[in-house]
Amino acid sequence: MNNAIVISFRSVKPRAGLLAATSCNPARNYSASTEDVDYTNLSLYKRGTGGRSSFNGIVATVFGCTGFMGRYVCTKLGKIGTQLILPYRGDNYDPMRLKVVGDLGQVYFHPYNLKNEESIRKVLKYSNVVVNLIGRDWETRNFSFDDVHNEGARRLARLAREAGVVRFIHMSSLNASQDPEKIFIEGGSRFLKTKALGELAVLEEFPNATIFRPADVYGQEDRFLRYYMHNWRRTLQALPLWENGLKTEKQPVHVTDVAAGIVAAIKDPDSARKIYQAVGPKRYILAELVDFFHRCTRRTEEGWGYQKYNMKWDPFFQLKVTLTERLSPTWPLGDLSWERVEREHLSDIIKPELPTLEDLGIQLTTVEEQVPWELRPWIYGAYHGHDIDDPIIPPAPPKAIA
């Protein structure tokens, strides 16, 4: 097995600037010309017509490949002929389904540990692109927020630079700040603090890195739509929100748009040293969004009893959040924790001086056209008197902020 790996990825590490010359210039013909070609690195030659069964000159290591975002990024990279090295932790069956994101022999798996530098060096040895999608929504006894978002990101960026990697893509978070706004947690969100420290660490170790700051990302198997659909987030049919959700503004983005932006940034050498805000095309009040989610699932006030109320007047819900953290610390039931509730009610801050996904040429997906399809499995009473595939009247769209 090891010999086959060496043969497959031998001499893949490019010279500085070679990636921009052979694989990051969309205007260049697909077949490599004689200029700027390193003839000793035969594996760098582009082969094929540019599709799944081709090789586009990019060998990408994707950390966090088995996560929600990672699956979409790997799929899009594999479709354009990228050789993928996918590190994983835990059971070796976890990344099994990612085997088909690329052509036969183009996807390689290897176990690693974020605190073990030797295991990281092995998966970086032959790569010219590294994508860091590692993140945690809650802390465990093995990995704190700082271990993952700050120290782990610094370690990956440093080792990538030492390995001669040309492009480093790092996933941060919108609202990342060393001094975030406080709503419930004293001192603000530790998640956002460590994300901000992680950005500084990555740029310090890898100055040419590209950073993405996504807003709430929704899609298949997300933790945004499903968070509000989970029974544990509600109190019977009522949904507690801070200030009834009227003082929080959100700009959610679809997962395929973020993944497409990452791939576009890899192809574009001008994206180096830039921070992109991955946000959706429209901005909404949180109360308007959750009302729309419940309209999509036919959980209306008239037919189901849905209503919102101010959570700060409900000590029982606050107790439920605290007990959930204490009794299920490794995987909070319904993703419910004070850290999640804190970030849930922070308004998305968009900085006009920073580029967005649209600057990468991405055509953004709107909430009203995508969310009804995403929420079809949660339609209330879908199998009582009618089928889930029966045509239904589209719910009234949410009102966007002008």
Side-chain angles (χ1 to χ4, degrees):
M1 178 64 72
N2 291 336
N3 293 334
I5 294 168
V6 172
I7 293 172
S8 176
F9 293 103
R10 179 165 305 202
S11 301
V12 173
K13 189 189 300 183
R15 300 176 303 172
L18 182 61
L19 183 63
T22 60
S23 60
C24 287
N25 189 345
R28 188 183 177 107
N29 290 332
Y30 191 79
S31 297
S33 65
T34 56
E35 59 185 67
D36 299 327
V37 173
D38 184 358
Y39 290 100
T40 63
N41 287 347
L42 298 181
S43 59
L44 287 173
Y45 280 81
K46 295 182 177 182
R47 297 184 286 273
T49 58
R52 172 187 170 90
S53 297
S54 305
F55 174 54
N56 60 10
I58 302 175
V59 181
T61 298
V62 182
F63 290 95
C65 59
T66 58
F68 169 53
M69 179 64 64
R71 294 190 287 270
Y72 289 84
V73 172
C74 291
T75 298
K76 288 189 176 293
L77 287 173
K79 287 174 66 175
I80 60 174
T82 304
Q83 288 184 352
L84 293 168
I85 302 175
L86 304 183
Y88 67 92
R89 59 186 289 264
D91 195 281
N92 64 325
Y93 284 103
D94 289 342
M96 177 177 62
R97 290 171 179 81
L98 293 175
K99 191 69 176 177
V100 296
V101 301
D103 202 9
L104 183 64
Q106 301 287 42
V107 182
Y108 168 64
F109 301 99
H110 196 284
Y112 87 106
N113 188 302
L114 189 59
K115 298 180 180 179
N116 186 325
E117 293 192 2
E118 185 58 33
S119 68
I120 297 174
R121 286 192 177 95
K122 287 182 180 179
V123 296
L124 295 178
K125 186 175 182 180
Y126 301 105
S127 297
N128 48 30
V129 172
V130 171
V131 182
N132 177 28
L133 304 174
I134 301 175
R136 290 210 64 89
D137 285 332
W138 58 84
E139 295 180 301
T140 66
R141 63 180 181 180
N142 294 323
F143 290 96
S144 66
F145 286 136
D146 192 70
D147 291 336
V148 177
H149 301 153
N150 182 18
E151 295 301 326
R154 177 185 294 276
R155 187 174 299 114
L156 294 181
R158 173 173 56 82
L159 296 178
R161 173 176 50 81
E162 294 174 358
V165 170
V166 180
R167 298 300 311 280
F168 189 91
I169 311 294
H170 175 67
M171 183 65 70
S172 182
S173 175
L174 201 67
N175 296 338
S177 170
Q178 297 185 55
D179 186 24
E181 178 186 351
K182 170 190 174 298
I183 296 181
F184 299 104
I185 300 177
E186 190 64 35
S189 168
R190 296 187 303 277
F191 175 95
L192 296 177
K193 285 183 180 179
T194 53
K195 280 292 187 181
L197 293 173
E199 289 185 10
L200 298 176
V202 166
L203 293 175
E204 181 180 334
E205 299 290 347
F206 203 110
N208 289 337
T210 301
I211 294 176
F212 281 82
R213 292 177 178 173
D216 292 294
V217 184
Y218 65 93
Q220 293 292 295
E221 303 177 8
D222 67 3
R223 289 178 184 164
F224 181 61
L225 299 178
R226 284 150 185 77
Y227 171 72
Y228 289 107
M229 290 296 104
H230 202 285
N231 292 331
W232 198 242
R233 178 60 183 82
R234 297 190 302 268
T235 301
L236 299 178
Q237 278 81 16
L239 182 68
L241 296 171
W242 178 71
E243 298 293 350
N244 285 33
L246 297 174
K247 293 187 177 181
T248 304
E249 299 179 5
K250 291 292 183 180
Q251 204 161 336
V253 61
H254 194 248
V255 62
T256 57
D257 296 339
V258 183
I262 291 174
V263 175
I266 292 174
K267 293 180 178 180
D268 183 7
D270 293 333
S271 67
R273 300 178 298 279
K274 290 184 179 179
I275 299 177
Y276 289 92
Q277 299 173 119
V279 296
K282 297 182 181 180
R283 194 173 179 88
Y284 308 90
I285 297 294
L286 178 61
E288 190 67 29
L289 275 178
V290 295
D291 286 348
F292 175 65
F293 298 162
H294 286 79
R295 288 199 298 272
C296 290
T297 57
R298 298 176 185 162
R299 301 169 190 262
T300 60
E301 183 176 353
E302 297 78 14
W304 191 69
Y306 160 75
Q307 59 179 326
K308 304 184 299 294
Y309 68 91
N310 196 334
M311 81 164 52
K312 69 181 181 181
W313 306 120
D314 185 358
F316 297 103
F317 180 79
Q318 298 175 29
L319 177 62
K320 181 167 73 171
V321 177
T322 302
L323 290 177
T324 302
E325 286 188 330
R326 299 285 180 85
L327 299 179
S328 57
T330 57
W331 195 285
L333 179 62
D335 295 332
L336 186 62
S337 65
W338 279 118
E339 182 66 42
R340 181 68 179 88
V341 173
E342 177 82 10
R343 288 184 285 118
E344 171 190 2
H345 294 100
L346 290 175
S347 294
D348 290 343
I349 300 175
I350 311 299
K351 297 182 179 179
E353 67 273 15
L354 296 180
T356 64
L357 295 177
E358 293 177 300
D359 294 291
L360 289 168
I362 307 302
Q363 186 175 356
L364 299 177
T365 306
T366 63
V367 165
E368 49 265 34
E369 67 178 334
Q370 185 65 30
V371 167
W373 185 87
E374 301 284 355
L375 291 179
R376 285 183 71 85
W378 280 268
I379 293 179
Y380 177 67
Y383 300 103
H384 296 274
H386 55 272
D387 192 84
I388 193 172
D389 292 325
D390 290 342
I392 60 175
I393 301 175
K399 297 177 182 178
I401 300 175

